[in-house]
Amino acid sequence: MDQGKHFLFIPGPTNVPDRVLRSLSQPMVDHRGANFPEFSKPLLQDLKKLFKTEDGEVFIFPSSGTGAWEATLLNTLAPGDRVLCSRFGTFSHLWIDMCERLGLKTDALEVEWGEGVPLEQYRKVLERDEQHEIRAVLACHNETATGVTSNLAGVRKVLDDLNHPALLFVDGVSSIGSIDFRMDEWGVDCAVTGSQKGLMLPAGLGIVCASQKALEARKQAGLSRCYFDFEDMRATNADGWFPYTPALSLLYGLRESLDMLFEEGLDNVFARHHRLADGVRAAVRGWGLSLCAKGPEWESDTVSAIYVPEGHDAKAVIHNAYHTYNLALGAGLMQLAGKVFRIGHLGDLNDLMCLGAISGVEMAMRDAGIPIEPGSGVAAAQESYRKAAAAASK
Ligand SMILES: *Cc1c(COP(=O)(O)O)cnc(C)c1O
């Protein structure tokens, strides 16, 4: 089906707004040319606003988010260092897997999928660590596989209560720029994101924001690094240069997407994501289905993982949506394969776009033989969006 717009409702890559698309197609310039710092320095400075940091420093690597995970570990830790982490979905799992492959020792807590960072268990492990052998604590802010958001302020509080000096590393790939994130307030030492989710760009940039404490830790970091070295970036970024050829087109796009986010206002961006997510959640209730997230405190404003009823195959829903209605949904990953489909509701979206997707999901489920009342999800979402609009206009 080539006519009309493709409905892209996976949790990344997300829709690239027309303004950003246009900004991507600009001629190349000399990235060592005299004028380049006039572009690059404000860009790096403005990125700090996205992370809500004054003291932190931002690094942009030509990689995906996974490269930014790796940069974080390589620049701060030594082989055999202990890392406290928790596994409750594919992305939290993959970062733990990377730690292990890089020769770090993980204290990996297994959490039921549908919940997030286990604060009380983190507290217990850190309490027992009287020698402060745990060098870093990992937190996946928004687990994209399950649609679960974790409480980062809570993680900070556990560390502070115990006076534990471990570094706090956050995977914010599917939250930063869509769900509130506060680097300085929450004492985050490295925050990781990528270009293709909340930043509404193609994939290709891995972004890390590092605190001064993380930059200090680099001096004892025994893991080897070269391409991903923070120090090479720092030495050149300070004057607006990069240690190697930057992904210029994506930097142009990033300039435009940051402008768009700041024009809307970050608080409004977060409120819009909450509203869109609320509509999707209303639809799920309207269908009589349930979310993978095990309670409102875990529900993500950027992605919802939705269980199909027992005896049905979520893959059929995804297949029908794609082939019949030109609607791309996210699949269930690992232990959720076939059990859930995911609706990504982040980035350049509005109420009616979400209603279109919800309508397509409804049809695709009926086509898969799932007994859904026609219109039940759409109607519930419509009322949710109407109510939000009425409240906003008061
Ligand atoms: C998408 C995603 C990643 C991986 O990012 P890539 O850009 O695909 O390398 C990591 N963590 C989370 C939470 C994600 O959603």
Side-chain angles (χ1 to χ4, degrees):
M1 216 197 278
D2 289 334
Q3 296 75 32
K5 286 254 187 196
H6 176 55
F7 267 55
L8 185 63
F9 277 80
I10 58 172
T14 65
N15 294 290
V16 181
D18 291 348
R19 260 177 78 174
V20 174
L21 276 177
R22 282 192 293 273
S23 75
L24 292 171
S25 60
Q26 293 183 55
M28 291 301 101
V29 297
D30 177 5
H31 63 288
R32 305 204 192 275
N35 295 333
F36 191 68
E38 289 169 24
F39 166 75
S40 56
K41 283 170 85 172
L43 181 67
L44 288 164
Q45 202 54 36
D46 286 348
L47 252 186
K48 289 169 59 167
K49 295 184 206 157
L50 183 74
F51 289 90
K52 298 198 176 157
T53 185
E54 298 282 336
D55 304 331
E57 295 183 34
V58 187
F59 306 113
I60 308 175
F61 294 101
S63 75
S64 74
T66 303
W69 273 351
E70 186 153 335
T72 294
L73 303 173
L74 296 182
N75 280 279
T76 53
L77 299 173
D81 273 356
R82 275 179 71 190
V83 178
L84 173 61
C85 38
S86 43
R87 186 181 351 251
F88 40 79
T90 306
F91 296 92
S92 48
H93 161 70
L94 287 171
W95 207 8
I96 294 169
D97 179 57
M98 177 184 276
C99 288
E100 289 167 354
R101 286 159 69 178
L102 290 174
L104 300 166
K105 271 212 272 306
T106 56
D107 291 53
L109 306 177
E110 303 297 330
V111 177
E112 204 182 339
W113 290 30
E115 297 182 1
V117 175
L119 297 183
E120 280 320 303
Q121 281 173 269
Y122 268 26
R123 183 184 294 276
K124 282 194 191 123
V125 175
L126 291 165
E127 220 160 27
R128 280 201 298 271
D129 179 35
E130 286 167 3
Q131 303 303 315
H132 294 163
E133 283 172 9
I134 294 172
R135 298 274 299 135
V137 173
L138 302 192
C140 181
H141 189 196
N142 189 77
E143 174 51 78
T144 316
T146 56
V148 162
T149 303
S150 285
N151 174 2
L152 296 180
V155 181
R156 177 75 266 161
K157 183 165 185 313
V158 168
L159 286 163
D160 285 353
D161 286 351
L162 301 171
N163 240 323
H164 198 293
L167 296 158
L168 174 56
F169 296 158
V170 170
D171 175 353
V173 180
S174 63
S175 58
I176 290 170
S178 311
I179 296 173
D180 196 9
F181 177 81
R182 307 176 186 189
M183 178 92 184
D184 287 359
E185 190 180 320
W186 296 339
V188 174
D189 293 299
C190 284
V192 169
T193 193
S195 48
Q196 78 277 21
K197 296 186 183 171
L199 287 169
M200 310 174 288
L201 292 163
L205 298 180
I207 303 173
V208 186
C209 189
S211 70
Q212 291 304 318
K213 183 173 159 188
L215 295 170
E216 197 58 35
R218 189 191 158 284
K219 294 176 185 154
Q220 290 100 47
L223 291 170
S224 306
R225 73 205 85 89
C226 173
Y227 188 77
F228 283 118
D229 202 325
F230 285 172
E231 216 44 47
D232 292 348
M233 278 286 178
R234 280 182 104 186
T236 48
N237 282 177
D239 297 313
W241 315 109
F242 286 84
Y244 35 71
T245 319
L248 267 187
S249 301
L250 289 170
L251 297 186
Y252 293 147
L254 180 60
R255 176 70 271 165
E256 197 68 24
S257 74
L258 286 180
D259 288 347
M260 288 181 68
L261 291 171
F262 297 146
E263 283 166 24
E264 183 177 357
L266 285 182
D267 287 343
N268 295 329
V269 173
F270 304 147
R272 174 168 55 83
H273 281 82
H274 183 68
R275 187 184 77 229
L276 296 176
D278 259 351
V280 171
R281 290 187 282 260
V284 173
R285 284 192 299 274
W287 292 324
L289 299 180
S290 50
L291 291 168
C292 182
K294 291 200 185 304
E297 72 275 28
W298 299 117
E299 286 168 0
S300 164
D301 283 344
T302 58
V303 53
S304 296
I306 299 155
Y307 281 112
V308 293
E310 203 74 45
H312 290 276
D313 184 0
K315 288 181 193 144
V317 178
I318 295 164
H319 181 276
N320 295 342
Y322 191 82
H323 291 281
T324 314
Y325 304 113
N326 201 12
L327 164 65
L329 300 172
L333 303 174
M334 297 169 67
Q335 66 183 55
L336 295 176
K339 296 185 178 160
V340 305
F341 61 87
R342 291 175 301 150
I343 302 180
H345 33 81
L346 74 165
D348 190 36
L349 295 173
N350 59 28
D351 297 0
L352 291 187
M353 291 166 87
C354 284
L355 278 171
I358 290 165
S359 166
V361 169
E362 204 165 283
M363 292 192 286
M365 284 198 290
R366 285 178 56 75
D367 295 347
I370 300 176
I372 296 291
E373 180 72 27
S376 53
V378 172
Q382 285 174 334
E383 290 307 294
S384 172
Y385 293 141
R386 286 186 61 240
K387 224 162 93 187
S393 70
K394 271 206 195 112

